Amino acid sequence: MTQVFEPAKPIWCAGCGDFGVQASLQKALSETGTNLNDVVIVAGIGCSGTIQNNIPTYGYHSLHGRTLPSAIGVKLANPKLTVIAAGGDGDGYAIGMGHLIHTFKRNPSILYIIMNNETYGLTKGQYSPTSNPGFEGNVENGMDGILVGLGVPSTTFLARGFAGAPAQLTRLLTDGLTHVQSGKGFAFVEVLSPCVTYNDTYKLWKNITYDVDSDTNFNPRDKIGSYTTVINKREEGKIPIGLIYSADHPSLEQVSVDDQEKGPALQDISLASNMDRYEAVMKTFLG
Amino acid sequence: MTQVFEPAKPIWCAGCGDFGVQASLQKALSETGTNLNDVVIVAGIGCSGTIQNNIPTYGYHSLHGRTLPSAIGVKLANPKLTVIAAGGDGDGYAIGMGHLIHTFKRNPSILYIIMNNETYGLTKGQYSPTSNPGFEGNVENGMDGILVGLGVPSTTFLARGFAGAPAQLTRLLTDGLTHVQSGKGFAFVEVLSPCVTYNDTYKLWKNITYDVDSDTNFNPRDKIGSYTTVINKREEGKIPIGLIYSADHPSLEQVSVDDQEKGPALQDISLASNMDRYEAVMKTFLG
Amino acid sequence: MESSRTTVDEDICIMVGGQGGDGSLTVTALLAGLFRRRGLNVYSSRNVLSRIKGGHADGVVRASRNNIKCLGDHVKVVVAFDEEAVLATKDDLDPNATIIFDSSAGELDPKLVDNTVKIYNIPFTKLILAEIRRELFKNSASFAVVGRLLGFPDEEMLQSLNSRYGAKAAPILENNIRAFKIGLEWAGKNGLTAADSTSPNTVDVKQKLLMTGNEAVSYGLLVGGVRFFAGYPITPATDVMEYLQKWFPKFGGVVKQAEDELSAINMALGAALAGARSVIATSGPGLSLIHEGMGQAGAAEIPLVIVDTQRAGPSTGLPTKIEQSDLQTLVYGGHGEFPRFVLTPGSVEDCFNIGRLAPNLAEMYQLPVIIAMDLGICQNTVTIESLDLHSGKIDRGKRLTAEDLAKMPVYGRYSFTDDGVSPYTVPSTENGRFLITGNEHNEFGHVNTDKLNRVKMMEKRSIKMKSALKDLPRGTVYGDESSKIGFIGIGSTYGVILEAMGLLAKEGVSSKYYKPLTILPLEDAIGSFLDGCDEVYVVEQNQSGQLSNLITLKFGRHKQLHNILRFDGNLFRPREISQRVLQIREKQSAIVH
Amino acid sequence: MESSRTTVDEDICIMVGGQGGDGSLTVTALLAGLFRRRGLNVYSSRNVLSRIKGGHADGVVRASRNNIKCLGDHVKVVVAFDEEAVLATKDDLDPNATIIFDSSAGELDPKLVDNTVKIYNIPFTKLILAEIRRELFKNSASFAVVGRLLGFPDEEMLQSLNSRYGAKAAPILENNIRAFKIGLEWAGKNGLTAADSTSPNTVDVKQKLLMTGNEAVSYGLLVGGVRFFAGYPITPATDVMEYLQKWFPKFGGVVKQAEDELSAINMALGAALAGARSVIATSGPGLSLIHEGMGQAGAAEIPLVIVDTQRAGPSTGLPTKIEQSDLQTLVYGGHGEFPRFVLTPGSVEDCFNIGRLAPNLAEMYQLPVIIAMDLGICQNTVTIESLDLHSGKIDRGKRLTAEDLAKMPVYGRYSFTDDGVSPYTVPSTENGRFLITGNEHNEFGHVNTDKLNRVKMMEKRSIKMKSALKDLPRGTVYGDESSKIGFIGIGSTYGVILEAMGLLAKEGVSSKYYKPLTILPLEDAIGSFLDGCDEVYVVEQNQSGQLSNLITLKFGRHKQLHNILRFDGNLFRPREISQRVLQIREKQSAIVH
Ligand SMILES: Cc1ncc(C[n+]2csc(CCOP(=O)(O)OP(=O)(O)O)c2C)c(N)n1
Ligand SMILES: Cc1ncc(C[n+]2csc(CCOP(=O)(O)OP(=O)(O)O)c2C)c(N)n1
Ligand code: SF4
Ligand code: SF4
Ligand SMILES: [Mg+2]
Ligand SMILES: [Mg+2]
């Protein structure tokens, strides 16, 4: 068998939450029986943005903040691929924020894993959009990716996991993969993934996470209920984890790709098989 | 008196909603008794982005989509200015979306008027982020700027006006101006401003707007209530107008500018008055 | 009055102008169609402001039995909806021109133009408002008058209106026809009688294609196998998005309007590495935003075609005006050093050919291929003969199938090769997994900072610029090859230079012209062309002589290189160029003698 | 064993290396402090990967009584926490070097290095784990050993530890001191006894400043009156943000960390037009993103200082490695044509001076002023004499007050003037209202497309490049002015070239060196320098010879211009340059004779 790249040893600091994310993702891939030759992981730039190097799938290290547009390009070119986007909170919530909202809006069947450590790890610990006021001189309120998702009408899957709760995380990623593999749209999974070097929040998060999955009164299909829970828990100083919202909406690839059998990447572009149609187009210029 | 630029004649098509926006804004400026020498209008690129040419204040025609960062720069440099950002739905919700969310998050005391015509007017009528599916080949669900604002925890003022309801619009803009002039933070006012040339929605909007201001059960200080109303009205095919949400949160300039009396633009930067402190800094390099 | 009737046998140029929204461009388009259907060559351009309604706007159409490729120097017929339109064209007016003036607000002051100019005062707006109530139909009335003046039979004009408005809502067609008839009536009143419909000009001629450069490049891209486009509206690039959007549904392609240019280029990079031939098109501000993505294509070796439809900068600049002022940023722009090709079509046929070739080049060499157009070539309409669809081929470069892989012991996405080009796979290929990255990397795509590897990777990428020389498009020499007077120019200066050379020839000055098609890597043929010239005129639509800078850096300073530059946002005119040359030559000879 | 003890009188270079997180850089910083306090000149650099922990990382510190400005050629002492660190410095090792090796995992294989190299095997990790449980304190143990080796009295070393960790939590200081004492003990075991604390080297000397280029440029900006900074973290520009953030609270300034570089540059534009001196700092990918904003500053005439801390590209590239490969994009990047200055500090003093001057230039000429640094000059630490704060001045250019305005009949933000610079106001100025725009505009800032106005505005903006000549920083000639052998180089090549010239002088080759400070508009003095040279060596940290291209375009091809290029991400070494020169000269003379 052809030797292809060997998965790398992670470059993360010992104890980094991203190890947990990688382990759960690999489990989820195997639980869903996904053929790794059909998977493309599109990663951002950041500590988190090196995860694709460690997993034997197709991997693309995109530009900082451009993880989602890159992943959308892959998905639209070949909707049969399992496309996973992965990056940090800086990558996704700062420079990538515009794309994130538009991805919620478009609802492409892509699993997006945002490893939130409330800091910029790779550039050495500056505050990020999710940082609390006071952290490294931050004066702004932290933002909440799930809440942002609830602010866009066509969102279909919003979950939050915690690197310190691996079983749930694996389940959420498995559900996310199932969501995208069945063409249901964008699966957004934020993972609380502590940066032990610049912002070690393991203990804090253990204490303040609130698991909606084990709240029997909680219904993730009730949008207003989800919003209410998120807002109220935030006010109590808690961070909800679990499957927070799910809904149905046509996926981007469904409404954009005319030939559902063969996306643009699989089209026969030989002159011979297209000549008739090319000639027909030329005729339109005869006026 | 020195002759400065003459306000221009608007370049808009006859009947364009933007005429109404301009008229209401001018009224609001006069109702708040604002000194026009203390006002900077930062406009985007688009039909809407020419409004500053027509009003005798300081005016800055920024880059497409960069209206808000530019306005934040102005405000942080000199918090005493009344800063008004104005642009289109393409400018604010497409290319400018990342900045919009971060502006909600930062809460600078800036009035932002987004003239939403659900199309890109100046580039001749392509679909925009607020367009309905089907419009000019759009396949995506339209988004809602107010809902986006409700997805960010530190939002303080969310309103929507309609160019076809000028009295209310003037009131909302006056309230927005008051909000920013009293340093309360970011006042977001989306105006439904029909593009008569590419997307004439006057009649439609007359029919489907729902005025929360005249709904005595509606409380704009109840976040979950606002969210519920917006979601439910959208499902009924209605667009809520009026003051949809208001709250308190420290403003960006308040938490960022150390010298509240004189922002960075007003500092005395002469060598003489700073020499002692410069020398103190130099000493830190002596180790 | 018959005296001022023109026949279509002449080389004739008509300008229709008024306020934006007056429908001037529709009249020129209708006329272009009529001329074309008679087998004439047509060149047509528009001049609008960056606003939707109001402000001066005009269209110009020129028709000739000659193979014209530019506007020429003189306007023979003017249809003016206001005085501003007359003033706008005053300088270019032929002394024997005819002006059809909308006299609703008063007759045209005859002193504004030479007294040899013939003026028809017809109150189009008033007439149409009175009869149809909506002013906008006045252009169809004016069309009737100018059509009669040009000698088109009424029937033929009516047919064009039918084919233009037939698909629209019935009242639109009806009102246009009503307006047209009002126009005919007033033409008659002014002595412009109907032409004979069996006029010799209506003989059956081979139909020509009427195309803009934007249409041609889009069509070339389609035929070149592009199946993914992402973009964000911007003048004058939006057309490309709109044409592909029209065609792709039949070809399994996808056009995605993105939220901005950053998203667009990254979507295209994603689609490209998934195996779809991908293109983006942008201009000015959008171009500046995609520099990072361009570098990513270069560093990560992702095939991508970028169409830059240059417009007048800097910044938001003059969005509806022509310029060729992005050349240096296309060549040098973006941090760090990475390979890329910059191609410069000059004719509409070039646009097609280069549009078709670029996706091959991108995949063969795995880098960004930039097609540098300019607003003139993008938007101006030209008649061309049929395009040869069969001469092209699809070459996907070193793309590996699962079968190819099965024979390979090792596959690394960035393996070192003599030509710098590594074999590549696309996702879903069994056992063809890759790591693609814009960080420096080793042969497998793992991030790597080793010094030796770094140097080898930089050299691998840059050597592609040499490997590709055999495949890059080459320019053409026009004119008198034995002459020692040479022109160099790209894009829409092409047609103007050719015509200027004709004017110079009339003055006894023979010249030649090299139209390069590849400015990065700059064609070696330019060097030989320079060597064969005693004097060289580099004609450019910019302020700093960007093309001439590229030439000088590579080939050294030519003993007599002159820049002929224009940067006021308007196309050169042939006489402007020929006169500049004559002036420069006169000055030189004054110095020499 | 005493034989291998070094005294600080020598020119000595020490490398401390291991895995990222081992604390190597702390040891070099401590040593730099010790040397500096003895009045020595210090130059120090670091070599890290783009990851937080793990992977090879090292720091190098060189100290000398001479005025060194680079790393030099040879490492005399190595502290290695693993074998990789030894291998990393192997090529630069002095034959009589000493290696202090962490032998926790086994002693160093002596065959790895020349047998003239002295090796101390000390199991730092083991010792520290056994005693303190947390490995990270091992660096303080190694500090004790290397300090003893270098002849620093224990007391002096202890003092540095105190001042470094004194402000931290008590256990941190305590553990470092415990580790240090363990180190001392093992130093003793290896025969390295404590030095005499009254050693002659400890005499009172004039304290020097120890600064990186990033510190110096930031400090210059502060003194230059900058009071607004917006940025987005990126290596190696982040420092600038962090220094200003530290200082601004005392000066009424604001630092805003933005959500991306697009936001940052536009915030800075907004603050600048509101009247605050504004700066952004970025690198690589961020630079590519700000091209649009740069053009806006040029077109709309907004004063803005941009610091580009060049790192190795293209794309994400090698984020922690040096390169000078943005020069051409700084000069030509961005669509359309607009004026800008590009300044290139070579020494830490230059960084301060240019940082202080740039805000003046930006306001005097109302355009983007770019300070082009490189990762070497940004991050490397150098001792310098005190900076003269009094020699600068604040010049706000043609800024109008309400009183000035009262005397003017008309105020247009873009009024035409001889030098292209219009008087300007800032908001809140009574009756000073402006319209500022990046669209083409008339004198009042109203959007305008008139041809003549367009040409005048383009010329107005470009003439500023000439008007500024009198105010732009000028370079310096170093070395033997009468020599016909010349060097040209910017940024961190400065110190290396100076030292290479010394090496050449020893070989009997005298030379001179021009260090330009302004590469756009390119200094005329470069032309005269070239004229005075028979051979010129342009030394650059890039692949394509970007500076040399700029020089060649402006001054024509020099008969003998040689590029000495390095693009593997590492700093030049002096001997590398001197040897390249000797080789080239040999080859040339082989040809000539
Ligand atoms: C355009 C651009 N700006 C800045 C950077 C520098 N940069 C690299 S990683 C990073 C942020 C990392 O933070 P995050 O995305 O949260 O990832 P983490 O390292 O925390 O996993 C930044 C700002 C870059 N690579 N590109
Ligand atoms: C970076 C960039 N991309 C694209 C454009 C072209 N452009 C000008 S205006 C505009 C959109 C206008 O739409 P909107 O913001 O909704 O304003 P409107 O004209 O509808 O008021 C676009 C895409 C530009 N100027 N800059
Ligand atoms: S710095 Fe933080 S985010 Fe990065 S690898 Fe280390 S622990 Fe993880
Ligand atoms: S095109 Fe539309 S948005 Fe623009 S001015 Fe006309 S009506 Fe208004
Ligand atoms: Mg992070
Ligand atoms: Mg709009």
Side-chain angles (χ1 to χ4, degrees), chain C residues 284 288 296 313 315-317 323 326 329 332 334-337 438 440 451 454 462 543-544 546 554 557 567 570, chain D residues 284 288 296 313 315 317 323 326 329 332 334-337 438-440 451 454 462 543-544 546 554 557 567 570:
Chain C
S288 283
Q296 173 78 343
S315 195
T316 312
E323 209 161 81
D326 296 346
T329 198
Y332 298 117
H335 68 285
E337 294 162 307
E440 194 55 280
K451 298 180 202 184
R454 162 68 173 178
S462 62
Q543 187 185 28
S544 58
Q546 301 198 8
K554 175 150 180 182
R557 289 190 185 174
F567 50 94
N570 291 273
Chain D
S288 283
Q296 173 77 344
S315 193
E323 209 162 82
D326 296 346
T329 197
Y332 298 119
H335 68 283
E337 293 162 306
N439 285 54
E440 195 53 280
K451 299 180 203 185
R454 161 69 173 177
S462 61
Q543 185 185 30
S544 58
Q546 300 196 13
K554 175 150 179 183
R557 290 188 185 176
F567 50 94
N570 292 274

Side-chain angles (χ1 to χ4, degrees), chain A residues 18 45-49 64 66 87-92 95 115 117 119-123 128, chain C residues 292, chain D residues 232-235 261 282 285-286 289 311 316:
Chain A
D18 296 350
I45 302 291
C47 294
S48 47
H64 185 50
R66 313 304 163 201
D89 45 328
D91 197 84
I95 189 167
M115 288 165 252
N117 51 15
T119 189
Y120 292 173
L122 193 59
T123 51
S128 87
Chain C
E292 194 198 12
Chain D
Y232 186 69
I234 191 162
T235 308
E261 290 85 352
T282 189
L289 289 174
R311 68 187 212 184
T316 313

Side-chain angles (χ1 to χ4, degrees), chain D residues 187-250:
Chain D
K189 284 191 194 163
N190 281 275
L192 295 169
T193 50
D196 180 355
S197 64
T198 59
S199 121
N201 289 316
T202 55
V203 293
D204 208 53
V205 287
K206 182 162 174 275
Q207 276 277 57
K208 289 186 174 158
L209 304 168
L210 189 61
M211 278 186 143
T212 63
N214 270 344
E215 286 169 330
V217 79
S218 306
Y219 184 50
L221 291 165
L222 175 75
V223 176
V226 169
R227 291 297 179 269
F228 186 84
F229 176 96
Y232 186 69
I234 191 162
T235 308
T238 317
D239 299 345
V240 176
M241 178 163 78
E242 291 175 347
Y243 301 134
L244 294 179
Q245 178 65 79
K246 199 166 70 185
W247 300 327
F248 270 0
K250 289 204 190 62

Side-chain angles (χ1 to χ4, degrees), chain A residues 1-3 6 37-38 56 58-61 66 69-70 73-74 99 106 265 271 277-278 282 285-287, chain C residues 36 210 219 222 227 250 259 266-267 296 392 405 408-409 411 428-434 436-437 439 446:
Chain A
M1 211 160 78
T2 320
Q3 181 204 327
E6 287 285 326
N37 282 314
D38 294 330
Y58 282 87
Y60 175 44
H61 201 186
R66 313 304 163 201
S70 312
V74 174
H99 307 313
R106 287 186 186 119
L271 279 178
R277 286 171 294 164
Y278 289 154
M282 184 146 68
F285 290 100
L286 288 172
Chain C
R36 185 252 299 250
L210 188 61
Y219 184 49
L222 174 75
R227 291 298 180 267
K250 287 204 190 62
E259 63 276 32
N266 284 285
M267 284 184 183
Q296 173 78 343
L405 281 163
M408 295 167 68
Y411 164 61
S428 259
T429 309
E430 199 62 29
N431 231 338
R433 292 186 304 277
F434 59 57
I436 290 183
T437 175
N439 285 55
H446 276 303

